[in-house]
Amino acid sequence: MEERFSFLDPYGHRVASILTRPSSATDKVAVLCHGFLSSKSSSTNNTLTRMLIDQGIATFRFDFFGQAESEGPFDQITVTLAVEQAVTAIDLMQQRRFRRVALMGSSFGGLVSILTASQRTDLACLALKCPVVDFAEELRLEFGEAGMAQWKATDTIPDILGGSDRVKLHYAFYEDCLRRIAYEPARSITAPTVIVQGDQDEHVPLHQSRRLYEALRVKKHLEMLPGADHQFTKGRDFNRMTKVIADWLISYLTE
């Protein structure tokens, strides 16, 4: 039972979304936040949706500003705007009478989810897949000093997914990231939290997840998968990652 529609964020931007419900009525939903340069229909989101639907749990997926089917030029996205969209998505699910709401985020969506969860006390749980905690640091490590200077001069970055063409992105994104580092906000999270990351992650530094884990003051679990990369490209790694996350979501949504 899949419903495709758009909602408006606080700035009036149209946000494309999919609400998938199980065949029987449910008041439980997981809001899924995709990664950078990804979409609501990522392989992780689609897989988790199938796993959760089988357990009588709905999912709500949406495209961040300027990505896939959502409105806006991608080069103007900021973490702050993405957080506003995630907050609106949760509020919308509550307006649709979902009594228990969980939040899950991948990579960039993980950063958004941490910052969103730090503002709320009404989430059943939080699940994070290789979350970025300090995106500014990751970008500096990824691009180097020369790459950062080129970004500032041209408002473009390399395609971090491996494409040959540079991607338009205002340098203001980096400046916003400097104000949205999530270690301290994480201390305010009240939802039980799981973190899953591969120990061969080539994008998100492992120390970010470890430091995040230490900052959390709730029931928590850190699952570091030996040999897994950022995309969990090996089938067994992807299966393990999605199982750990799904089990966490199911456990707290159905208790």
Side-chain angles (χ1 to χ4, degrees), residues 84-98:
E84 293 281 6
Q85 294 187 329
V87 168
T88 303
I90 295 169
D91 290 343
L92 179 60
M93 290 300 96
Q94 291 176 334
Q95 291 163 16
R96 289 195 168 215
R97 300 190 178 180
F98 285 99

Side-chain angles (χ1 to χ4, degrees), residues 5-26:
F5 62 94
S6 296
F7 64 93
L8 297 180
D9 70 15
Y11 307 99
H13 305 125
R14 183 184 57 81
V15 182
S17 63
I18 306 173
L19 175 61
T20 307
R21 299 176 185 263
S23 55
S24 56
T26 184

Side-chain angles (χ1 to χ4, degrees), residues 185-223:
R187 296 179 182 275
S188 300
I189 290 174
T190 60
T193 302
V194 66
I195 306 164
V196 185
Q197 186 172 12
D199 70 2
Q200 298 301 309
D201 192 316
E202 67 278 25
H203 292 298
V204 180
L206 301 187
H207 68 256
Q208 291 198 6
S209 284
R210 294 188 176 117
R211 185 175 166 188
L212 170 64
Y213 181 79
E214 292 302 318
L216 291 166
R217 298 176 175 177
V218 292
K219 185 173 181 181
K220 56 190 177 180
H221 175 66
L222 173 59
E223 185 93 6

